[in-house]
Amino acid sequence: MNLEFTAEEQAFRDEVRAFIAENYPKHLADFGMREDMEREDFLAWHKILGKKGWSVPAWPTEYGGTGWTPTQRYIWSEENARASTVMPLPFGVSMVGPVIYTFGNAEQKAKHLPGIVSGDVWWCQGYSEPGAGSDLASLKTTAVRDGDHYIINGQKTWTTLAQHADWGFFLCRTDPTAKQQEGISFILVDMKTPGVEVKPIKLLDGGYEVNETWLTDVRVPVENLVGQENKGWTYAKFLLAHERSGIAGVARSKRGIEKLREIAANESLDGAPLIKDFDFAKKVSQLEIDLAALEITELRTLAGEQAGKGPGPESSILKIKGTEIQQRLTELTLEAVGTYGAPYMGGVSNDNGSNEFPVGPDYATHAAATYFNMRKTSIYGGSNEIQRNIITKMILGL
Amino acid sequence: MNLEFTAEEQAFRDEVRAFIAENYPKHLADFGMREDMEREDFLAWHKILGKKGWSVPAWPTEYGGTGWTPTQRYIWSEENARASTVMPLPFGVSMVGPVIYTFGNAEQKAKHLPGIVSGDVWWCQGYSEPGAGSDLASLKTTAVRDGDHYIINGQKTWTTLAQHADWGFFLCRTDPTAKQQEGISFILVDMKTPGVEVKPIKLLDGGYEVNETWLTDVRVPVENLVGQENKGWTYAKFLLAHERSGIAGVARSKRGIEKLREIAANESLDGAPLIKDFDFAKKVSQLEIDLAALEITELRTLAGEQAGKGPGPESSILKIKGTEIQQRLTELTLEAVGTYGAPYMGGVSNDNGSNEFPVGPDYATHAAATYFNMRKTSIYGGSNEIQRNIITKMILGL
Amino acid sequence: MDFNFTEEQDMVRAGLSRLVREQYDWETRRKAIASSAGWRPEVWAQLAELGILGMPFSEADGGFGGGAVDAMVIMQEFGKGLVVEPFIPTVVCAGGFLKHGGTAAQKEEHIGGIVAGSAVFAFAYAEPRGRFDYADLETTAAKDGAGYVLNGHKAVVIGAPWASHLIVTARTGGARRDRDGVSVFVVAKDAAGITTRDYVTVDGRRASEVYFENVALPADALIGEEGAGLALIELVTDEAIAALCAEACGAMKVAHAMTVEYSRQRKQFGVPIGSFQVLQHRMVDMYTAYEQALSLTYLATLRLGSDERARKQAVSAAKVGVGQAARLIGQEAVQIHGGNGVTDEYAIGHFFKRLTIFDSEFGNVDHHLKRHVSLG
Amino acid sequence: MDFNFTEEQDMVRAGLSRLVREQYDWETRRKAIASSAGWRPEVWAQLAELGILGMPFSEADGGFGGGAVDAMVIMQEFGKGLVVEPFIPTVVCAGGFLKHGGTAAQKEEHIGGIVAGSAVFAFAYAEPRGRFDYADLETTAAKDGAGYVLNGHKAVVIGAPWASHLIVTARTGGARRDRDGVSVFVVAKDAAGITTRDYVTVDGRRASEVYFENVALPADALIGEEGAGLALIELVTDEAIAALCAEACGAMKVAHAMTVEYSRQRKQFGVPIGSFQVLQHRMVDMYTAYEQALSLTYLATLRLGSDERARKQAVSAAKVGVGQAARLIGQEAVQIHGGNGVTDEYAIGHFFKRLTIFDSEFGNVDHHLKRHVSLG
């Protein structure tokens, strides 16, 4: 047992660091909120990594994975967080990709995986439905077989960044007589198919990162069914466990704490830097301690995975603690900026004046919006309550 | 709306303060833990108050109550806490007394109330049973009618200070065919009746304040039934609501915080008094703030009661917050005494030495035991989880 | 001791409750805060008509003889509807400075306008680097003949876009952060040398950065004694905090009720989510936090007239306790609303945002816990 | 990076697990701690035989070449059974002082006895008014010829009633609380001038007040450099904290498992209490807290050999995180056990008591959070 990097690992870290320094697009350095970003901004780094062969490290090497050890993947995350890179979105890389290479057929793999690896194809996720939330199994969207097509009808919600998506993966009910979690299928849909309509949802931070997606008589070829008909729930659960394992966001939160320290060094309290205020510094320390614990917990989980165990219910801990830390971090950042947390920087116009350029210091600009936005993290991806139910059942055995 | 005392109320406070100063037994001043106390120590102040007519302030005046306003009762609690008096135990005064004067017949009132008022009769409570806990309705103790007697069989637990008791009030099942909460009766039992056996339970603090009580073919005259047969659950609920309203313990916790401040002024940290340590002082302030809130909440509840509303589900808040504060107070006191919290002052003998006289400062002696002991407060009297269930149902309407 | 409201207070509450319900419904509010004005002057006029704006002034000053309890009742009702109109800056703050520090002439000049609704005030005290310290001032008012010349930059002045007048704190002597040397001035917003930059706040109000460049103030712009303004500021901001806590209590009560109702309607796994014990107990904890916060708000309000130490203790206790409750209730309400809780469409998110910004007004939880400790 | 245990470590764990299960069951422990000895010397002898007491010493010093990870494995297993035998005072503390600061002669003299089980140590560092500051010493060792004369009073010296030797900290120069002037000595407990007052602790161990009255120490009683002992003490107590955290992890794991099992057996309202969602989620939070605490214990253990700042950060992080988890798990375990949780009869209360006292050993949560901040 030890925490030291081997000489090989140190060399790898240097290689990664140099690669990022040389290749990461300068105009995306230390980028702020996602909602400011264009489609190409999201994909720029992904495409560079695709060419390098580093866009899907966790995948099997035959599909483009790097074959890195957990330690190498840890180093990779750390270095990207250190440089605040805009990482590839998870919908292709961490969600549908693993489902396709695990459960898809040869044609599906050949057709869909390369676009995910290269970053040319943007995927979105059609799981949630209005009125269903974390209760995925109650979904109502139907796919009815019609010759060599499915006709899909229904409404999905919380489809993140679907406004940019080329393809979507949808859970649809293919057997209306089956119970709750049975009779569901996992179907890939070209978002340009007639009948697919994406409407943005305005969130409480003022941004538009999620959508409602209507599917009206959408005709999808049967070859877009992944795995077996009516077995979609199995793939959905597999995907959710995969999704959770990346959700801890340790390296990003580390970088967030660094930024928080920089902000608190600039803000003042009683004539001294805020970071010198014991009360405030203590909250930062507590956050660092909880994050240090989570980092080791994640590394232990990765080590377990390497030892042959797949991502198990332990990943629910990563989801719960990871999102709690992200939320506390953004809350503390809002607290740090003080009075200048109040100005709203969204697009609402105002005859009398501004909201056109920042009020107060730059770092205060998005503090409130980010805090508001991050409330979602304990709700999505299976709410933290659902995660506790999973641990209750799978680990405590109750 | 105002918080000031009227001239009359100020005069009353002076009267109370003078009465306590003149009449409270000197040898019981600032008494420590109850387990050190003899029966007569528990009853001394009660008897003095009984003679004065102040032992049961909340009762209707016809049975010995004082007719005080809520403000006067508040002053009364404050002044007793200020003097750290050993107050009358609740089993007679706050529990069985109100049940008897509300639901009992004339003979029962005449027979039992005077002994409670005077402090001559010690009551204990036979509600809980092994394996039942807060689920009172599942009780198994039976009372079977046999002519003009009931024959009681069963086992009660957590009968507080039953080792001193003259009488007990017991919930017994009189209709074994009825559902859960029906078929229960409220019966008074002379603890000297053959078949009643009291066995002490050792608690984790080392003390013996609760007991298991076995009832084996205990013959009790039917006139000891309070109210109607099989309607005991109604009286039990009435009693529990009454019990809760006194349970906030605000005045005692105020005194406890004063003592904590004294301890923290004596202990040192980094060469200065502990109370000057911002970290520690902040925890004391937070406790004071929560207690101030609870005090007003209790006064609002009392004002509501005066306006004709009986003690309602709001009293569950008093129970929850009151016990949380008591627990945090004792925890903080243990923290304050530092290293000297570890020595055990109970009666375990040790050939090599001591535990015969205090190790460390006097105020450290019972800090750990008190903290351990107070864990019971969130469990007894309907656990805090049960209180939340009550609020869910009665106030939130869910 | 007495915890009853007067008949008049009950009437005010009922009247405002009706006004908010009937004329300040959610859609109306949404349009108003998105409009170029950002508030509803017609509601302000109506409040003047109903006597609400004159409630806490003495009859001698042209008001209706009410006090802090009346302001509490009013702000609770405003909180329930997230009313954005500037009652606290105008009536509680400016009104407070005039009542406690104003000369007869100043009262004469300004209180009538406040009561009638024609004078709207904003309180310009915060500065870019001052955080919660009222004495940490870079704004200066230099003596110039009988008057003063004001220079400086005030940050996030709530309600300033709507204001006709400003109350401004400035240093007339001493070094930055000295207790002595702080003074308070009243100034018309259209005075020469004042520029503002207006914007929307995240909780749907309006505010300005206010810049003073050689603004000439007459001698009678000074409220209270020159250089001794800090005690006055502390008194008035304590009154403002009590009113702000009352507003937060109103908002928390509605946020809690909305959440309970949502949990009753919303189904998951085939049953209302309000049937899940975990959510039930969390809603109980929200309820308990609200009741405790309300108690602290009563305490602060009723102690505003007590000696300084008791007043500050009670006010800081309230700001701490209400701040903690606001955080708990806001966050839990959003969480229990699930995905809908983070949308702009549902009202609950807006309550959450208002309850968030509440903490940063007039000192946050940490600040007031420190003040409470320092009074220990 | 590597999170695997060696085969040898797995064997040690398995062996100790069996020993605790088979020979340290609850009734046996209960009798032992109530006996006049208060511990089980025969278990100590067995630990020596199994090589446990020699595990963390190098082979050159007569040990088995293990390290901090081995101590962690050992203490986790001891924690599971609330083993009271003084592994930390003897092997981790005294062993640590000898390893890091001892001369060849001192190692020669003492390590053999520790490994063989014949020398039992206690670490006398705390003083009645010193709280958690190792430099806040009233005990003095005055130079006397080549040696020293020791005077003072050490408080709550864990395991002292069982000890043959003491490690004592004393001031050889400087003023109270100075970093300089602190020295460390080894002394036989039966040396002339030492008296003790023995007692039971609330968590079932034994401790003493130890009084030194003109105790003559030879020159070679000094461990490390005169007056420069504080850095050595910080290193050794950091090692002790890591081991203590491992013990707490063992105790928490069992307390959690007992609680889950109790919730499965115990019925209320006709169903197991483990079916109530509120209790389920609280047991999940206990589990999560345990896992996070275990991670911090790993981190602290693996950082003991790092540079001073990294070591102190990791150790303080662990003491904070494990302390918070211990509090949560201890209190919740008792609460979920209900009335039975507060009885002496049920084991859970004893785990709670041990986890409570854990916080006050070598600095509590507040102390280490402060240290963490100071290293920030």
Side-chain angles (χ1 to χ4, degrees):
Chain A
M1 222 186 204
N2 74 75
L3 291 171
E4 309 310 319
F5 291 141
T6 61
E8 291 75 24
E9 287 161 350
Q10 287 180 37
F12 176 75
R13 186 190 57 199
D14 295 343
E15 183 192 353
V16 165
R17 193 173 293 181
F19 181 78
I20 294 173
E22 283 157 31
N23 295 283
Y24 187 73
K26 298 286 171 280
H27 71 286
L28 295 176
D30 239 340
F31 221 73
M33 288 195 77
R34 286 189 158 171
E35 69 198 63
D36 302 335
M37 288 165 59
E38 304 292 326
R39 180 183 154 111
E40 287 314 306
D41 295 336
F42 279 108
L43 294 175
W45 186 225
H46 189 159
K47 288 183 174 176
I48 293 164
L49 296 178
K51 291 199 186 85
K52 173 76 174 173
W54 284 1
S55 60
V56 292
W59 289 20
T61 47
E62 56 185 307
Y63 304 120
T66 53
W68 289 341
T69 64
T71 303
Q72 285 177 301
R73 278 154 60 190
Y74 167 80
I75 290 170
W76 172 244
S77 302
E78 281 277 310
E79 292 302 319
N80 274 281
R82 198 169 162 274
S84 292
T85 62
V86 176
M87 287 294 273
L89 290 164
F91 311 106
V93 172
S94 312
M95 297 182 178
V96 76
V99 169
I100 291 174
Y101 68 63
T102 308
F103 303 106
N105 56 35
E107 291 73 25
Q108 289 167 337
K109 292 178 193 175
K111 178 172 180 186
H112 294 296
L113 296 182
I116 297 174
V117 172
S118 67
D120 288 322
V121 180
W122 185 306
W123 284 84
C124 70
Q125 178 192 41
Y127 268 38
S128 295
E129 299 189 359
S134 290
D135 177 15
L136 290 179
S138 75
L139 59 88
K140 295 192 174 59
T141 297
T142 56
V144 178
R145 186 69 177 265
D146 178 30
D148 54 0
H149 280 76
Y150 288 108
I151 315 290
I152 303 182
N153 277 286
Q155 187 188 348
K156 296 289 179 180
T157 191
W158 315 129
T159 37
T160 304
L161 296 172
Q163 61 263 49
H164 300 303
D166 304 303
W167 279 81
F169 51 98
F170 290 81
L171 290 183
C172 306
R173 194 165 288 287
T174 36
D175 179 357
T177 65
K179 269 188 292 179
Q180 282 270 313
Q181 300 176 4
E182 291 157 34
I184 290 173
S185 296
F186 190 103
I187 299 174
L188 311 179
V189 178
D190 183 333
M191 294 296 280
K192 286 179 294 296
T193 316
V196 176
E197 195 187 357
V198 173
K199 289 187 189 173
I201 298 173
K202 186 176 181 186
L203 293 186
L204 87 168
D205 62 355
Y208 294 91
E209 63 178 42
V210 293
N211 301 274
E212 291 193 308
T213 301
W214 271 269
L215 301 126
T216 312
D217 294 331
V218 178
R219 289 181 67 82
V220 175
V222 289
E223 64 248 35
N224 288 10
L225 172 74
V226 177
Q228 289 178 266
E229 197 177 75
N230 297 332
K231 294 292 175 203
W233 186 246
T234 310
Y235 319 139
K237 276 195 305 184
F238 167 87
L239 181 154
L240 287 173
H242 261 269
E243 182 189 7
R244 279 199 295 276
S245 71
I247 217 162
V250 169
R252 298 277 148 175
S253 289
K254 267 195 199 172
R255 178 72 190 111
I257 291 178
E258 275 174 33
K259 286 184 184 167
L260 173 59
R261 282 189 175 280
E262 289 161 22
I263 292 172
N266 265 295
E267 289 286 317
S268 65
L269 178 66
D270 297 339
L274 177 62
I275 194 64
K276 295 291 174 197
D277 176 62
F278 176 66
D279 230 20
F280 191 85
K282 214 173 61 165
K283 288 194 271 194
V284 179
S285 268
Q286 182 75 59
L287 199 56
E288 284 177 325
I289 290 168
D290 294 341
L291 184 59
L294 184 63
E295 180 171 24
I296 303 290
T297 303
E298 186 175 34
L299 290 169
R300 287 166 52 209
T301 309
L302 288 176
E305 281 178 42
Q306 198 180 24
K309 294 186 272 177
E314 297 79 11
S315 63
S316 290
I317 291 185
L318 304 180
K319 162 74 172 33
I320 293 171
K321 300 309 288 186
T323 55
E324 282 176 3
I325 286 169
Q326 290 156 30
Q327 292 181 337
R328 278 164 52 204
L329 173 59
T330 54
E331 185 170 7
L332 210 45
T333 304
L334 175 58
E335 186 183 325
V337 306
T339 314
Y340 279 122
Y344 174 59
M345 299 315 298
V348 171
S349 70
N350 173 8
D351 287 356
N352 299 324
S354 69
N355 284 42
E356 284 157 17
F357 54 100
V359 176
D362 272 358
Y363 56 68
T365 306
H366 289 296
T370 306
Y371 167 60
F372 296 149
N373 183 277
M374 291 304 278
R375 301 317 301 174
K376 74 187 176 193
T377 63
S378 49
I379 295 167
Y380 71 17
S383 73
N384 287 10
E385 289 79 20
I386 295 287
Q387 304 302 332
R388 287 187 170 86
N389 287 346
I390 292 172
I391 298 175
T392 297
K393 196 169 164 189
M394 308 296 287
I395 299 181
L396 307 190
L398 291 173
Chain B
M1 223 186 202
N2 74 76
L3 291 171
E4 309 310 317
F5 291 141
T6 62
E8 292 75 25
E9 287 163 349
Q10 287 181 35
F12 175 75
R13 185 190 58 198
D14 295 344
E15 183 191 353
V16 165
R17 192 173 293 181
F19 180 78
I20 294 174
E22 283 159 30
N23 294 283
Y24 187 73
K26 298 287 170 281
H27 71 285
L28 294 176
D30 239 340
F31 220 73
M33 289 194 74
R34 285 190 158 170
E35 69 199 62
D36 302 335
M37 287 165 58
E38 305 291 327
R39 179 184 155 112
E40 286 315 308
D41 295 335
F42 278 109
L43 294 174
W45 186 225
H46 190 158
K47 289 183 173 175
I48 293 165
L49 296 177
K51 291 201 185 82
K52 173 75 174 173
W54 283 2
S55 61
V56 291
W59 289 20
T61 46
E62 55 185 306
Y63 303 120
T66 54
W68 289 339
T69 63
T71 304
Q72 285 178 302
R73 278 155 59 190
Y74 168 79
I75 290 170
W76 173 244
S77 301
E78 282 278 312
E79 292 301 319
N80 273 281
R82 200 170 160 274
S84 292
T85 63
V86 177
M87 287 294 274
L89 291 164
F91 312 106
V93 173
S94 312
M95 296 182 177
V96 75
V99 170
I100 291 173
Y101 67 64
T102 308
F103 303 106
N105 57 35
E107 292 72 26
Q108 288 167 337
K109 293 177 191 177
K111 179 171 179 186
H112 294 295
L113 297 182
I116 297 173
V117 172
S118 67
D120 287 324
V121 179
W122 185 305
W123 284 84
C124 69
Q125 178 192 40
Y127 267 37
S128 295
E129 298 190 357
S134 290
D135 177 15
L136 290 178
S138 76
L139 60 86
K140 296 193 174 60
T141 296
T142 56
V144 177
R145 188 70 178 264
D146 178 30
D148 54 0
H149 280 75
Y150 288 109
I151 316 289
I152 304 182
N153 277 287
Q155 187 188 347
K156 296 290 180 179
T157 191
W158 316 129
T159 36
T160 304
L161 296 172
Q163 61 263 50
H164 300 303
D166 304 304
W167 279 80
F169 51 99
F170 290 82
L171 290 183
C172 307
R173 196 165 285 288
T174 37
D175 180 357
T177 65
K179 271 188 290 180
Q180 282 269 314
Q181 300 176 2
E182 290 157 32
I184 290 172
S185 296
F186 191 104
I187 300 174
L188 311 178
V189 177
D190 184 333
M191 294 294 280
K192 288 180 295 293
T193 316
V196 176
E197 195 186 358
V198 173
K199 288 187 189 173
I201 298 173
K202 187 177 180 185
L203 293 187
L204 86 170
D205 63 356
Y208 296 91
E209 63 178 43
V210 294
N211 300 273
E212 291 192 308
T213 302
W214 272 268
L215 300 127
T216 313
D217 294 330
V218 177
R219 288 183 67 83
V220 175
V222 288
E223 64 249 34
N224 287 10
L225 172 75
V226 176
Q228 289 178 268
E229 196 176 75
N230 297 333
K231 295 290 175 204
W233 185 246
T234 310
Y235 319 140
K237 277 196 303 183
F238 168 88
L239 180 153
L240 287 173
H242 260 270
E243 183 189 6
R244 281 200 294 275
S245 71
I247 218 162
V250 170
R252 298 277 148 175
S253 289
K254 268 195 198 173
R255 179 73 190 109
I257 292 178
E258 277 175 31
K259 285 184 185 167
L260 173 59
R261 283 190 174 280
E262 289 162 22
I263 291 171
N266 265 296
E267 288 287 317
S268 65
L269 177 66
D270 297 337
L274 177 62
I275 194 65
K276 295 290 174 196
D277 176 62
F278 176 66
D279 230 19
F280 191 84
K282 215 173 61 165
K283 288 194 270 195
V284 178
S285 267
Q286 182 73 59
L287 200 57
E288 285 178 325
I289 289 168
D290 294 341
L291 184 59
L294 185 63
E295 180 171 23
I296 303 291
T297 303
E298 186 174 36
L299 289 170
R300 285 166 54 208
T301 310
L302 288 176
E305 280 180 42
Q306 198 181 23
K309 295 186 273 178
E314 296 80 11
S315 63
S316 289
I317 292 185
L318 304 180
K319 161 72 173 30
I320 294 171
K321 299 309 289 185
T323 55
E324 282 176 2
I325 287 169
Q326 290 156 29
Q327 291 181 336
R328 278 163 52 204
L329 173 59
T330 55
E331 185 171 6
L332 211 45
T333 304
L334 175 59
E335 186 183 326
V337 306
T339 313
Y340 279 123
Y344 174 59
M345 299 315 299
V348 171
S349 70
N350 172 7
D351 287 358
N352 300 325
S354 69
N355 286 42
E356 283 157 17
F357 54 101
V359 175
D362 273 358
Y363 56 67
T365 306
H366 289 295
T370 306
Y371 167 61
F372 296 148
N373 183 276
M374 292 303 277
R375 301 317 300 175
K376 72 186 177 194
T377 63
S378 49
I379 295 167
Y380 70 19
S383 72
N384 286 12
E385 288 80 20
I386 294 289
Q387 304 302 331
R388 287 187 170 87
N389 287 346
I390 292 172
I391 297 175
T392 297
K393 197 170 163 187
M394 308 297 286
I395 299 181
L396 306 190
L398 291 173
Chain C
M1 267 195 300
D2 170 18
F3 283 91
N4 296 307
F5 293 97
T6 63
E7 215 169 295
E8 197 178 20
Q9 287 162 345
D10 285 336
M11 277 171 54
V12 166
R13 184 188 298 283
L16 282 182
S17 170
R18 195 167 47 245
L19 184 144
V20 167
R21 199 170 54 245
E22 293 174 2
Q23 296 178 49
Y24 218 93
D25 63 283
W26 199 244
E27 274 315 305
T28 308
R29 178 186 182 276
R30 184 191 292 280
K31 278 181 207 141
I33 66 171
S35 72
S36 78
W39 71 318
R40 298 177 62 204
E42 74 278 16
V43 166
W44 193 252
Q46 207 174 342
L47 294 173
E49 236 167 75
L50 290 169
I52 299 299
L53 303 183
M55 187 65 66
F57 295 101
S58 71
E59 290 172 23
D61 288 340
F64 301 98
V69 173
D70 301 87
M72 179 178 84
V73 169
I74 292 165
M75 286 310 301
Q76 277 181 289
E77 296 309 310
F78 285 172
K80 290 179 189 170
L82 297 188
V83 169
V84 299
E85 279 64 31
F87 185 87
I88 289 179
T90 302
V91 180
V92 180
C93 293
F97 280 111
L98 292 165
K99 278 198 289 189
H100 300 303
T103 60
Q106 286 170 331
K107 291 184 191 176
E108 174 80 30
E109 185 182 349
H110 296 293
I111 291 181
I114 292 175
V115 174
S118 58
V120 175
F121 279 74
F123 178 30
Y125 66 98
E127 300 198 356
R129 297 188 62 78
R131 215 166 182 88
F132 308 126
D133 182 352
Y134 306 120
D136 194 345
L137 296 175
E138 295 185 276
T139 299
T140 57
K143 200 86 185 177
D144 181 38
Y148 302 84
V149 179
L150 189 64
N151 278 286
H153 166 196
K154 292 290 181 178
V156 195
V157 183
I158 294 289
W162 310 321
S164 58
H165 293 76
L166 302 172
I167 301 284
V168 185
T169 61
R171 193 158 276 292
T172 46
R176 193 169 156 185
R177 301 202 296 119
D178 278 358
R179 278 193 67 85
D180 287 335
V182 175
S183 300
V184 180
F185 298 93
V186 57
V187 52
K189 204 181 79 173
D190 59 5
I194 298 181
T195 52
T196 68
R197 217 187 113 194
D198 302 349
Y199 48 84
V200 181
T201 63
V202 292
D203 55 348
R205 298 183 294 170
R206 298 291 160 101
S208 307
E209 300 297 289
V210 183
Y211 302 90
F212 303 96
E213 201 182 334
N214 297 322
V215 179
L217 301 176
D220 67 355
L222 177 72
I223 299 184
E225 224 180 305
E226 183 186 298
L230 195 60
L232 180 61
I233 295 170
E234 287 175 338
L235 172 61
V236 173
T237 51
D238 278 353
E239 292 176 341
I241 289 170
L244 204 58
C245 287
E247 181 191 357
C249 283
M252 287 190 283
K253 191 178 172 69
V254 171
H256 178 256
M258 275 180 176
T259 305
V260 172
E261 184 53 29
Y262 185 85
S263 81
R264 212 191 304 275
Q265 303 296 337
R266 171 78 171 185
K267 288 194 175 181
Q268 206 148 54
F269 306 108
V271 293
I273 62 171
S275 66
F276 296 126
Q277 195 189 27
V278 156
L279 300 190
Q280 290 175 348
H281 282 209
R282 280 157 60 178
M283 288 187 281
V284 167
D285 289 344
M286 291 163 73
Y287 169 75
T288 305
Y290 163 71
E291 288 290 337
Q292 292 280 82
L294 185 62
S295 291
L296 287 170
T297 301
Y298 283 12
L299 181 64
T301 304
L302 295 172
R303 284 274 180 258
L304 286 175
S306 302
D307 65 87
E308 187 181 327
R309 179 163 173 273
R311 182 196 85 215
K312 287 182 172 178
Q313 271 183 329
V315 168
S316 284
K319 196 65 168 56
V320 168
V322 178
Q324 290 167 335
R327 175 177 184 274
L328 175 84
I329 291 172
Q331 293 182 350
E332 288 285 42
V334 167
Q335 181 71 20
I336 293 172
H337 272 78
N340 291 324
V342 295
T343 63
D344 181 72
E345 188 191 341
Y346 275 68
I348 196 67
H350 299 268
F351 280 85
F352 166 58
K353 291 197 279 187
R354 178 71 195 103
L355 289 171
T356 299
I357 295 304
F358 162 80
D359 185 49
S360 70
E361 299 185 82
F362 299 111
N364 64 8
V365 166
D366 276 5
H367 174 83
H368 281 283
L369 196 48
K370 260 181 204 159
R371 191 169 83 149
H372 196 275
V373 166
S374 74
L375 296 163
Chain D
M1 267 193 300
D2 170 19
F3 283 93
N4 296 307
F5 293 97
T6 63
E7 216 170 294
E8 197 178 21
Q9 286 161 348
D10 284 338
M11 277 172 54
V12 165
R13 184 189 298 282
L16 282 182
S17 171
R18 194 168 48 245
L19 185 144
V20 168
R21 199 170 55 244
E22 292 174 2
Q23 295 178 50
Y24 218 92
D25 63 282
W26 199 244
E27 274 315 304
T28 309
R29 177 186 182 275
R30 183 189 293 280
K31 279 181 205 140
I33 66 171
S35 72
S36 78
W39 70 318
R40 298 177 60 203
E42 74 277 16
V43 167
W44 195 250
Q46 208 174 341
L47 293 173
E49 237 166 76
L50 291 169
I52 299 300
L53 303 182
M55 187 65 65
F57 294 101
S58 71
E59 291 172 24
D61 289 339
F64 302 97
V69 174
D70 300 271
M72 180 179 83
V73 168
I74 292 165
M75 286 311 300
Q76 277 182 288
E77 297 308 310
F78 286 173
K80 291 178 188 169
L82 296 186
V83 169
V84 299
E85 279 63 30
F87 184 86
I88 290 179
T90 302
V91 180
V92 181
C93 292
F97 280 112
L98 292 165
K99 279 198 288 189
H100 301 302
T103 61
Q106 285 171 331
K107 293 183 189 175
E108 174 81 30
E109 186 182 349
H110 296 293
I111 292 181
I114 291 176
V115 174
S118 57
V120 175
F121 279 75
F123 179 29
Y125 66 99
E127 299 198 354
R129 298 189 61 79
R131 212 166 185 88
F132 308 126
D133 182 354
Y134 304 122
D136 193 346
L137 296 174
E138 294 184 278
T139 299
T140 56
K143 200 85 187 178
D144 183 39
Y148 302 86
V149 179
L150 189 64
N151 278 286
H153 166 196
K154 292 289 180 179
V156 195
V157 183
I158 295 289
W162 309 321
S164 58
H165 293 76
L166 301 172
I167 302 284
V168 185
T169 62
R171 195 158 274 294
T172 46
R176 192 168 158 185
R177 301 200 298 118
D178 279 358
R179 276 194 68 86
D180 287 334
V182 175
S183 301
V184 181
F185 299 94
V186 57
V187 52
K189 205 183 78 173
D190 60 5
I194 298 181
T195 52
T196 67
R197 215 186 115 195
D198 301 349
Y199 48 85
V200 181
T201 63
V202 291
D203 55 349
R205 296 182 296 170
R206 297 293 159 99
S208 306
E209 300 298 289
V210 183
Y211 303 90
F212 303 96
E213 203 181 334
N214 296 323
V215 178
L217 300 176
D220 68 357
L222 177 71
I223 299 185
E225 223 181 303
E226 184 186 298
L230 194 59
L232 181 61
I233 295 170
E234 288 175 338
L235 172 61
V236 172
T237 51
D238 278 353
E239 293 176 341
I241 288 170
L244 203 59
C245 287
E247 181 191 358
C249 284
M252 286 190 283
K253 191 178 171 69
V254 171
H256 179 256
M258 276 181 176
T259 304
V260 172
E261 185 52 30
Y262 185 85
S263 81
R264 214 191 302 273
Q265 303 295 336
R266 172 77 172 187
K267 288 194 176 182
Q268 206 147 53
F269 306 108
V271 294
I273 63 171
S275 66
F276 295 125
Q277 195 190 27
V278 155
L279 300 190
Q280 290 175 347
H281 283 208
R282 280 157 61 177
M283 288 187 281
V284 167
D285 290 344
M286 291 163 73
Y287 169 75
T288 306
Y290 162 72
E291 289 290 337
Q292 291 280 82
L294 185 62
S295 290
L296 287 170
T297 301
Y298 282 13
L299 180 65
T301 304
L302 296 173
R303 284 273 180 258
L304 286 175
S306 303
D307 66 88
E308 187 182 326
R309 179 163 173 272
R311 182 196 84 214
K312 286 183 174 178
Q313 272 183 328
V315 168
S316 284
K319 196 63 169 55
V320 168
V322 178
Q324 290 167 335
R327 174 178 185 271
L328 175 84
I329 291 173
Q331 292 181 351
E332 288 285 43
V334 167
Q335 181 71 20
I336 294 172
H337 273 78
N340 291 324
V342 295
T343 64
D344 182 72
E345 189 191 342
Y346 274 69
I348 197 67
H350 299 267
F351 280 86
F352 166 58
K353 290 196 281 187
R354 178 71 195 103
L355 289 171
T356 299
I357 295 305
F358 161 79
D359 185 49
S360 70
E361 298 185 81
F362 299 110
N364 64 8
V365 166
D366 276 5
H367 174 83
H368 282 282
L369 198 47
K370 261 182 202 158
R371 192 170 81 149
H372 196 275
V373 166
S374 74
L375 297 163

